[in-house]
Amino acid sequence: MKTFLKSVLFLGLTGFLCQCTNDPPPECGCDAETVYPIPNEEFEEVYGIPPGEQITGKLFFKHPEIVDGYYDYEEYSNMFWISQGQKGCWNCRRIFIVCNEELIGEEFHFLKQQGVYDSIPIQFSGNVKRTCIIRHLPADMVYGRIQLKTLKNQ
């Protein structure tokens, strides 16, 4: 009987552990699957955005008092954001909310100081993920999370 109970307990624990490791990735957020990488060849082919323009942007720190008309949620405040625009399109913008802030060097940490609302021109690459809060946006705007691969001052 003890052997039987040990076997049941062992199989139960094994099954529990296997279920935990086989969980699918979340559909959104930093641990989700990549939607697209930056730079992305399709952006040049479809939208005419060359790779050199895809990897440039402005890094800033989203303080709670900075109001964003579309993603002004507490969940996304007190984080580094990367903003991109597009030449010839005043309303076109892509906003990436940084997942792995540990990749951001000390030279950018002054942006976290209270009352500092600067942005720094940067070059970056990474994998874009879906945000967990989905909003209706104008067609020429994109918001996403980004798992940075590289980031440097421009």
Side-chain angles (χ1 to χ4, degrees):
M1 184 71 172
K2 285 184 181 180
T3 306
F4 175 74
L5 288 174
K6 286 180 184 177
S7 298
V8 169
L9 181 61
F10 176 76
L11 290 174
L13 284 174
T14 304
F16 175 74
L17 292 174
C18 289
Q19 286 176 350
C20 292
T21 58
N22 291 331
D23 287 344
E27 292 183 17
C28 64
C30 294
D31 296 325
E33 291 185 16
T34 298
V35 178
Y36 57 87
I38 292 179
N40 186 329
E41 290 178 15
E42 288 181 26
F43 281 17
E44 184 171 25
E45 295 168 14
V46 177
Y47 304 109
I49 305 171
E53 194 174 320
Q54 293 176 38
I55 63 169
T56 60
K58 294 194 177 203
L59 179 73
F60 67 97
F61 189 77
K62 169 70 168 75
H63 295 279
E65 60 271 15
I66 298 174
V67 176
D68 181 85
Y70 296 97
Y71 273 80
D72 197 35
Y73 298 103
E74 191 174 317
E75 177 180 343
Y76 299 129
S77 285
N78 295 311
M79 302 179 109
F80 282 101
W81 289 27
I82 296 171
S83 173
Q84 290 183 312
Q86 188 173 336
K87 293 176 185 171
C89 180
W90 67 271
N91 198 44
C92 296
R93 71 177 172 165
R94 290 177 295 280
I95 301 288
F96 305 112
I97 304 163
V98 176
C99 290
N100 52 337
E101 289 191 12
E102 67 275 2
L103 195 71
I104 295 174
E106 289 292 323
E107 68 268 27
F108 301 111
H109 283 243
F110 76 94
L111 295 169
K112 289 182 170 186
Q113 294 174 2
Q114 193 65 29
V116 175
Y117 305 114
D118 291 339
S119 61
I120 306 295
I122 57 162
Q123 289 185 338
F124 69 100
S125 65
N127 293 318
V128 176
K129 320 286 185 148
R130 285 185 177 80
T131 58
C132 291
I133 299 173
I134 306 295
R135 293 284 315 256
H136 293 288
L137 298 170
D140 48 7
M141 290 185 184
V142 173
Y143 283 74
R145 300 299 309 262
I146 188 164
Q147 191 77 33
L148 291 171
K149 289 183 181 176
T150 63
L151 181 121
K152 65 181 182 179
N153 216 328
Q154 191 176 22

